[in-house]
Amino acid sequence: AATHYRKAAELDPQLAEAQLNLAVALQALGKADEAVGSFEQAIRIKPSLAKGYFALKPMRRNSGQATPA
């Protein structure tokens, strides 16, 4: 699934949902660093994307990083 979401994100870099779905897929594969980057990109594209914040916060907490408000 990550391959397809990555392709969707490449085809439309401003599609926040594609970045979000890619992040979820990467997280499921245990690729936390890549997932964090995709979650952050999704939030940059669409700051109102609550799912991105909810998913990112525990990942940052586990890594010791603070989550900006």
Side-chain angles (χ1 to χ4, degrees):
T3 303
H4 296 290
Y5 290 129
R6 189 179 309 277
K7 184 66 174 175
E10 289 172 3
L11 290 172
D12 187 351
Q14 295 304 308
L15 184 61
E17 290 77 6
Q19 288 291 338
L20 180 67
N21 290 334
L22 174 58
V24 170
L26 291 169
Q27 185 179 23
L29 292 172
K31 297 181 177 184
D33 291 339
E34 288 182 67
V36 167
S38 288
F39 281 126
E40 290 173 341
Q41 180 64 16
I43 292 167
R44 273 192 294 277
I45 295 167
K46 189 175 181 181
S48 64
L49 193 63
K51 290 179 184 181
Y53 292 100
F54 287 125
L56 185 58
K57 187 168 184 162
M59 293 183 74
R60 285 196 168 162
R61 187 179 313 127
N62 291 339
S63 72
Q65 295 180 5
T67 303

